[in-house]
Amino acid sequence: MINEAILVGNVGKKDTKTLKNGTDITVLSIATTTKYMDSSGEKQTRTTWHNINCFSKLSDIASKYVHVGDLIYIRGEINNKKIESGERAGQYMYSVTAQDIKFL
């Protein structure tokens, strides 16, 4: 079985914290953009935001060297989590757990 995502996009947000178990995590939000022609022949652009979780050593690298606006390459595993409460209860939230980061 293969569960792998490869993304190249610009960083929009970065947040680093320590979890209750002592593990460091840096959460990145990156934007990927797709250009296409709509049915009337007009050029369109669609931006998709992705949540990226970086743990341990990658968390340290991301917290020190990744900056908002940077173009980065991410390779990692796709994960989902069911939202239990609030307005979006019952929906799923998707993220990528980073296994590799490259600076472009």
Side-chain angles (χ1 to χ4, degrees):
M1 306 273 174
I2 297 173
N3 177 0
E4 184 171 67
I6 296 174
L7 301 167
V8 174
N10 293 93
V11 178
K13 280 176 149 181
K14 177 177 86 168
D15 182 37
T16 301
K17 59 186 170 187
T18 302
L19 301 175
K20 290 179 184 178
N21 66 5
T23 303
D24 290 334
I25 181 173
T26 298
V27 179
L28 304 172
S29 180
I30 69 166
T32 57
T33 303
T34 304
K35 296 181 181 183
Y36 64 97
M37 298 280 260
D38 67 15
S39 59
S40 63
E42 297 291 321
K43 291 181 182 180
Q44 301 291 327
T45 302
R46 178 178 51 238
T47 300
T48 304
W49 288 93
H50 307 273
N51 296 314
I52 312 298
N53 298 317
C54 305
F55 292 96
S56 303
K57 185 177 179 182
L58 281 181
S59 174
D60 187 46
I61 291 167
S63 70
K64 289 180 182 175
Y65 302 110
V66 173
H67 305 286
V68 171
D70 286 352
L71 180 65
I72 61 172
Y73 162 101
I74 297 284
R75 182 183 58 81
E77 179 179 278
I78 302 167
N79 299 295
N80 64 36
K81 180 180 178 181
K82 190 172 186 178
I83 300 169
E84 299 296 330
S85 63
E87 202 173 284
R88 294 181 52 203
Q91 294 179 0
Y92 286 86
M93 180 175 72
Y94 291 86
S95 64
V96 174
T97 299
Q99 296 168 335
D100 189 22
I101 296 176
K102 291 187 178 64
F103 300 91
L104 304 176

